[in-house]
Amino acid sequence: MAIKLEWSEEALEDIESIATYIEKDSPAYAKSVVSKFFEKAEILKDFTELGRKVPELNDINIREIFVYSYRLIYKINEGTVLFVAVVHGKRLLENHENSITKPC
């Protein structure tokens, strides 16, 4: 079965904010980081459970993979991987919990 990748508006906004911040120092590095988010996401088409379960949440279907120092958080649903947030590893997840745990 082919897995479909979807991006929430919040996750795309997170990536845009990260790129804007990094771009102040290095436009080339900002572009590289953004590309890496999408490259890592593509891997999940074949290996949806590659990421670990998000430790703060008690849901086996909410997982994360790391891209540099960022947590790319996603939900596994029937035939779909939905990316719900991108959070710096040193930030608290509680600021994003509503968008992560809301029903798909």
Side-chain angles (χ1 to χ4, degrees), residues 46-93:
D46 296 319
F47 305 101
T48 56
E49 295 182 6
L50 178 69
R52 71 176 187 172
K53 184 179 86 164
V54 174
E56 298 91 334
L57 305 173
N58 191 25
D59 188 334
I60 193 73
N61 292 315
I62 301 176
R63 307 180 78 80
E64 66 185 356
I65 56 175
F66 284 84
V67 178
Y68 301 110
S69 55
Y70 296 96
R71 300 166 70 178
L72 178 55
I73 301 172
Y74 64 97
K75 289 183 185 181
I76 302 171
N77 256 335
E78 297 175 23
T80 304
V81 170
L82 173 64
F83 297 95
V84 293
V86 182
V87 182
H88 193 279
K90 292 188 178 185
R91 295 212 168 209
L92 296 176
L93 191 61

